[in-house]
Amino acid sequence: MENLWNDNDAARYANQAREAGQPEALGLRVYTSRIIGQVADLVLHGGGNTSVKVTDTNGDAIMHVKGSGWDLETIEAPGLPAVKLAPLHAARKGKKLSDPEMVALLRSNLLDPSAPNPSVEALLHAYLPFDFVDHTHSTAVLALANQDHSEEIMREIYGDRLAFLPYVMPGYDLSIAGADLFDQFPNCEGLWLKNHGLFTFGDTAKQSYDRMIDFVTDAENYLSAKGIALPGPESSDRDIDPALAANIETVLRADNSPFASGIALDFRSTPSIRRYLENDNLETIAARGTATPDHVIRIKPFPLIIAANAGIDDIAAALADFKSRYAAYFERNAPNASEPKVMLDAWPRMVLVKGVGLIGLGANDKAARIAGDLGEQTARIINAAEEVGTFAPINEADLFDMEYWSLEQAKLQKK
């Protein structure tokens, strides 16, 4: 993991912020957010979040935290809305908040009422007593965090430099659990979130960023020392068979399909993807869930799997089976939800073509590319995770809660 910090670039961002009447720390926050966001093995497509705490002109403590709908790679100051800190800290001493109540708390304390919603993990950022906080879903970390013995691995690599948090649903519950964990281990330099990712923090932008890069590098080195290869993002080296693509489009553009008015296919075939697809247990592994929870809103809980020579009838049969399994997944989990749920469309967002490649599906090129990127990363994560031990993401009930979480659904509705 290359450290991209550059003193001259950092100074330029700080100066630009000062010239715009903003705190220099906000300029540095934009800078390190961007050099995190441009690395696909740290975050993808709106994943991860960052924050900085400053004092406003009235002497009040405020926090700029990533806003919903912004991507770290291209974020600007408006993408880090400012929220008053004192009311957030006061709320920690009060009653448990529902996630809608948490959002209302954050919105009511925005300095700019028209700003985007702060990150769903904003309260955790607020409660960590550091000026800068970074959160990523790195490939190497996810290969290790998605293990049943994830805590043991973390201890082996980092000792007590990181504190371990078992999986907790993102939002209010995660914020409180993460803050309580830090209070127990106030000398830690980061939080290891099982099945989820990594938080680091520091008194300066560089310190928090350096810790993130160093800890991810440590995870990469752990894998390397065990002889486990974890290639970086790979470019596709093959094209899809036009006949197969046409057959997929024909089947998936049925009248009641979310793709009825248009479908985009993003085909990927790389050495890592083909290695994943050649796994004898592909059907089982692919059905276990996503590499980090929020991927489920992009690619569904499992993919559609077909053979390389699948014809229209074969694809139609595979789709019928997919829809039946998705409906069963909904029926198993919806009765246990805290509020009534209406089933989302039961159509895939990713197709695995055995031995050949994977296809991200979307109503447009951007949506298909996002699904393809997540699929490519997932293949590399699972390959490494299966060599470490067993790829063991969050269980089905937790995955359902994430897919049908009202706050995650709001992200999709905005986009």
Side-chain angles (χ1 to χ4, degrees), residues 322-341:
F322 178 97
K323 294 167 75 172
S324 176
R325 287 191 297 126
Y326 188 87
Y329 153 82
F330 180 84
E331 294 298 332
R332 281 193 302 271
N333 293 285
N336 301 317
S338 59
E339 58 187 10
K341 302 293 182 184

Side-chain angles (χ1 to χ4, degrees), residues 83-316:
V83 60
K84 301 171 188 174
L85 274 173
L88 307 189
H89 283 280
R92 187 180 177 189
K93 303 172 185 176
K95 70 177 183 69
K96 173 182 169 63
L97 301 178
S98 68
D99 284 318
E101 288 172 336
M102 177 190 72
V103 171
L105 170 69
L106 293 169
R107 284 217 62 83
S108 66
N109 286 287
L110 283 167
L111 270 63
D112 177 2
S114 66
N117 282 344
S119 163
V120 296
E121 283 145 1
L123 289 182
L124 178 51
H125 284 260
Y127 298 152
L128 291 169
F130 295 89
D131 286 348
F132 290 84
V133 179
D134 297 331
H135 171 47
T136 70
H137 308 144
S138 103
T139 303
V141 168
L142 291 176
L144 301 174
N146 283 301
Q147 299 285 335
D148 286 335
H149 62 305
S150 175
E151 182 175 7
E152 178 184 325
I153 292 172
M154 187 207 79
R155 301 286 179 208
E156 182 180 350
I157 300 173
Y158 306 104
D160 60 2
R161 296 184 69 191
L162 295 181
F164 177 83
L165 185 67
Y167 177 75
V168 180
M169 176 84 169
Y172 179 81
D173 289 345
L174 173 59
S175 295
I176 297 300
D180 289 347
L181 178 66
F182 179 82
D183 288 348
Q184 294 177 55
F185 303 99
N187 295 320
C188 72
E189 300 169 11
L191 305 180
W192 178 277
L193 278 54
K194 189 176 190 296
N195 304 124
H196 185 154
L198 178 66
F199 271 84
T200 60
F201 26 77
D203 296 323
T204 66
K206 188 175 189 303
Q207 183 181 47
S208 185
Y209 173 76
D210 284 348
R211 285 175 172 175
M212 179 62 70
I213 299 304
D214 290 347
F215 289 151
V216 173
T217 298
D218 289 342
E220 293 173 336
N221 290 341
Y222 175 87
L223 292 168
S224 179
K226 291 184 173 295
I228 299 171
L230 184 66
E234 298 171 320
S235 298
S236 183
D237 56 17
R238 299 183 185 178
D239 296 324
I240 190 171
D241 175 13
L244 178 62
N247 288 341
I248 292 172
E249 287 194 28
T250 297
V251 172
L252 292 181
R253 291 193 65 176
D255 290 341
N256 63 339
S257 165
F259 309 118
S261 60
I263 186 171
L265 277 61
D266 185 290
F267 177 76
R268 312 282 180 98
S269 185
T270 69
S272 292
I273 289 172
R274 292 190 292 273
R275 181 181 161 208
Y276 170 51
L277 297 176
E278 290 163 2
N279 193 303
D280 292 338
N281 297 316
L282 177 64
E283 283 83 357
T284 300
I285 295 172
R288 289 179 189 159
T290 58
T292 194
D294 66 347
H295 284 185
V296 72
I297 67 169
R298 308 287 193 187
I299 57 175
K300 296 287 190 178
F302 45 80
L304 174 68
I305 303 177
I306 62 175
N309 61 350
I312 287 180
D313 291 344
D314 300 315
I315 298 170

